[in-house]
Amino acid sequence: MASRRSKRPNAAERALFVKRVALSVPPGSELPRGHPFDLAAVRHLGERELRSPVTVFVGENGIGKSTLLEALAVAVGLNPEGGSRNLRFATRNTHSALHRSLLVARGPTLPRDAFFLRAESFYNVASKIDALDAHPDNACEDGPRLIESYGGKSLHEQSHGESFLTLFLERMGGRGLYLLDEPEAALSPQRQLSLLVRMHDLVAAGSQFILATHSPILMAHPGADIWLFGPDGITNTTAAATEHWQITKQFLNDPEAMLRELFS
């Protein structure tokens, strides 16, 4: 399957599209109460710099990774259920109001492309693409269908993992801003390695990634800035220092010993 190719970016084009994110509270005001402002990652967010073309959110379930990623996506103009800037739909409005309290500092150039992948709602994105292409008002006698940007074959006619890879290989190009929420959900370890290679190529072509993941494979992207979400907020760490990495390594090194301990 051929992937989209882009020229090498110049120095200005390599600058990060999102440079800084901060929690904005009017002077003399307090943080709103309740979810998501009761999450430590939100409450103690303060102001954080993005220092690498690949920023990785890691941490336990329910700690706030996806919540912050979703708010970032909405703050930069992407659909909360996923998709590109021009793909607007709502199956059910469940996203938080956090985006209204975020200040996002942009880089000196605008991305040529942007996409928000949510593993849990990618089915809805695929359905919307098919619906738009099938609608008579969107038909163009000489122009390409929307699905042509995704390889020309309905994403519903592919396996879940194949459709994810099609997105990365066909839809995403150079100088893009890509927010990914658990992209490993549909991918085998081998396909996660394929995604790692594709990310590396897109970064070389001037793209920026911000992703939430539990995958030690994706955390290992060279130069990734890893944000560890914990009960006291967000700290910087390395892939090898994460619990995800250590538990996986311990299990693979001696699965029998770990199983004995778990089942005792």
Side-chain angles (χ1 to χ4, degrees):
M1 183 182 294
S3 60
R4 294 173 58 185
R5 296 181 181 273
S6 303
K7 67 180 182 65
R8 293 283 179 173
N10 59 36
E13 291 171 335
R14 287 185 183 277
L16 299 183
F17 303 118
V18 175
K19 298 175 58 180
R20 187 182 311 109
V21 59
L23 191 62
S24 175
V25 181
S29 301
E30 296 183 353
L31 280 176
R33 297 181 180 275
H35 184 80
F37 298 96
D38 55 353
L39 294 169
V42 174
R43 190 169 61 252
H44 301 304
L45 177 62
E47 180 175 301
R48 293 191 63 88
E49 300 280 344
L50 284 83
R51 308 177 301 184
S52 167
V54 178
T55 302
V56 182
F57 296 175
V58 301
E60 265 303 332
N61 295 325
I63 203 70
K65 306 182 303 299
S66 295
T67 300
L68 181 57
L69 189 68
E70 173 194 82
L72 269 171
V74 177
V76 300
L78 294 168
N79 194 47
E81 283 193 45
S84 66
R85 286 174 293 203
N86 298 322
L87 196 61
R88 315 304 299 186
F89 69 96
T91 305
R92 183 180 178 188
N93 287 321
T94 59
H95 61 287
S96 75
L98 177 58
H99 64 280
R100 300 193 187 102
S101 298
L102 285 186
L103 285 178
V104 179
R106 311 293 186 93
T109 60
L110 294 175
R112 186 177 62 186
D113 182 30
F115 201 95
F116 178 32
L117 169 68
R118 298 192 70 158
E120 64 184 359
S121 57
F122 189 60
Y123 179 95
N124 301 338
V125 172
S127 297
K128 185 63 175 180
I129 292 168
D130 284 353
L132 287 171
D133 277 342
H135 199 284
D137 291 344
N138 297 318
C140 181
E141 184 174 344
D142 299 319
R145 298 175 302 153
L146 184 59
I147 195 61
E148 298 303 325
S149 295
Y150 298 80
K153 180 180 179 181
S154 172
L155 297 171
H156 282 313
E157 295 177 9
Q158 305 174 51
S159 73
H160 200 27
E162 287 174 332
S163 65
F164 271 40
L165 280 179
T166 294
L167 170 68
F168 299 126
L169 293 172
E170 299 288 347
R171 173 59 181 75
M172 295 182 178
R175 290 186 57 204
L177 173 62
Y178 302 118
L179 285 72
L180 314 178
D181 189 13
E182 299 187 4
E184 74 276 11
L187 301 178
S188 69
Q190 182 62 48
R191 295 306 190 186
Q192 290 180 46
L193 291 172
S194 298
L195 172 54
L196 196 65
V197 171
R198 182 59 177 155
M199 287 173 58
H200 179 74
D201 291 344
L202 288 170
V203 166
S207 298
Q208 180 180 4
F209 285 86
I210 307 171
L211 63 149
T213 185
H214 295 290
S215 168
I217 292 175
L218 299 184
M219 293 177 203
H221 190 284
D225 187 19
I226 300 179
W227 294 12
L228 176 62
F229 286 56
D232 298 319
I234 302 173
T235 56
N236 290 97
T237 189
T238 64
T242 64
E243 190 175 68
H244 306 68
W245 185 290
Q246 294 173 0
I247 289 177
T248 302
K249 182 178 180 180
Q250 182 181 355
F251 182 85
L252 293 176
N253 283 343
D254 195 348
E256 292 82 6
M258 181 170 279
L259 290 173
R260 284 196 301 270
E261 183 176 346
L262 287 171
F263 298 156
S264 62

